[in-house]
Amino acid sequence: MGILPVKRDAVLPEWRMTDKRNLHVPRHVAAMKRCFHLATESMECIMRTSGSWAAIAAFASLLLAGATGAAPAGSDHDAVLATLRQRFPEATIERVGASPWAGILEVYTPNELFYSSPDGERIFVGKMIETRTRTDLTAKAWNETLRIQFSDLPFDKAIKIVKGNGSRKLAVFEDPRCPYCQQLEATLAGVTDITEYVFLYPLEELHPGATVTSRRIWCSTDRAAAWVQWMQTKVEPGSDACEQTPIAELAKLGDRMKIESTPTIFLSDGSRIPGAVDKDVLEARLGATPPPG
């Protein structure tokens, strides 16, 4: 599968790094991440995959414990930052700020967003969900920190696909053997007036053969046709005998951009959409995105 927990700094002892795109996490937290990757998942999914109601109750208790110590507006974020840096010297804690939940603070590291009580005495790592809309507020805040300058992308290393008038632009980092990428491409087949820039981003450890398939697509005479035919109908691309491909360079770029799963979509305003999304969601985001200047 093409979805993985994101890389995390060392914050709590149970988080430990394994490889560059994977991480062992507490089981109920990892399950919640998988459930909420797509907006259509239900709360029942969390209840089912968390293992028990007790896990949910414990998580809720932790949130409430943080909320009961709420400080008034204007609490000393610098003091909380200093406290957390002193208590977790192994973590690179960059800044502390307000969150959508009164009395809970957002804490940012280079690869992580987690939460703290206003005095820095309690922290938790997990997702903050708005129940009315089921919006993942953690992902929303984190993705905002990962906004890019769209025009700075190396478009010469992308496969360009134009449909209709091509006026709406998006860039997608994709693995040709990722099922969620194939799901996204099926959705894009029904979307017109777009220019899609496909950046080949094979996750070989998850999808053996993805690198070879990526090379064959890039080496094809018509890269756009080879990509579409493979993703939609599994027509095998031709030879991978061309001398150079951008795959290694894109892997380094993806690391710098903190791309941890496929597909990862960037709209022309630089905003990021992690994962496959429904057509209605994509159309709404494309419609709300001003054209690049």
Side-chain angles (χ1 to χ4, degrees), residues 37-239:
H37 188 80
L38 297 178
T40 55
E41 291 291 351
S42 64
M43 289 301 292
E44 288 79 3
C45 178
I46 296 182
M47 305 304 180
R48 183 174 65 253
T49 56
S50 64
S52 67
W53 280 92
I56 297 299
F59 193 67
S61 297
L62 186 57
L63 297 182
L64 293 173
T68 56
S75 61
D76 192 344
H77 294 178
D78 289 339
V80 174
L81 180 62
T83 296
L84 294 176
R85 283 175 171 171
Q86 187 271 327
R87 295 180 181 178
F88 299 101
E90 70 274 25
T92 304
I93 300 175
E94 296 181 330
R95 61 185 174 92
V96 172
S99 82
W101 190 334
I104 300 294
L105 300 178
E106 294 177 343
V107 184
Y108 288 87
T109 77
N111 296 303
E112 176 70 273
L113 162 61
F114 63 96
Y115 298 97
S116 171
S117 59
D119 54 8
E121 293 296 323
R122 292 172 294 272
I123 66 171
F124 66 90
V125 179
K127 290 183 179 293
M128 183 182 291
I129 306 297
E130 183 180 72
T131 58
R132 181 176 58 84
T133 62
R134 297 183 182 176
T135 299
D136 182 343
L137 299 178
T138 304
K140 182 178 179 181
W142 179 247
N143 288 331
E144 186 59 31
T145 71
L146 301 178
R147 186 181 289 268
I148 67 167
Q149 184 66 39
F150 189 83
S151 60
D152 288 346
L153 287 170
F155 296 111
D156 60 318
K157 297 176 175 61
I159 299 171
K160 183 178 180 181
I161 302 171
V162 180
K163 297 176 62 179
N165 62 27
S167 59
R168 302 183 295 174
K169 301 183 186 302
L170 70 160
V172 192
F173 284 72
E174 297 190 82
D175 178 329
R177 292 187 177 270
C178 161
Y180 291 106
C181 299
Q182 293 162 9
Q183 178 181 322
L184 174 64
E185 289 298 327
T187 298
L188 287 171
V191 179
T192 191
D193 294 337
I194 61 171
T195 298
E196 178 189 9
Y197 297 95
V198 176
F199 291 91
L200 295 169
Y201 200 66
L203 303 180
E204 187 69 26
E205 63 270 30
L206 288 179
H207 310 121
T211 302
V212 170
T213 301
S214 296
R215 284 186 59 88
R216 288 177 174 172
I217 291 171
W218 184 260
C219 293
S220 297
T221 303
D222 187 337
R223 294 166 183 164
W227 172 259
V228 171
Q229 289 169 8
W230 166 256
M231 296 300 279
Q232 294 184 3
T233 59
K234 291 298 181 291
V235 174
E236 289 283 350
S239 170

Side-chain angles (χ1 to χ4, degrees), residues 13-51:
E14 64 262 33
W15 302 92
R16 63 183 180 88
M17 294 300 298
T18 55
D19 59 49
K20 73 170 186 174
R21 290 195 178 92
N22 205 353
L23 174 73
H24 288 297
V25 298
R27 185 173 65 85
H28 68 279
V29 175
M32 290 172 71
K33 287 182 173 297
R34 289 193 296 271
C35 285
F36 273 101
H37 188 80
L38 297 178
T40 55
E41 291 291 351
S42 64
M43 289 301 292
E44 288 79 3
C45 178
I46 296 182
M47 305 304 180
R48 183 174 65 253
T49 56
S50 64

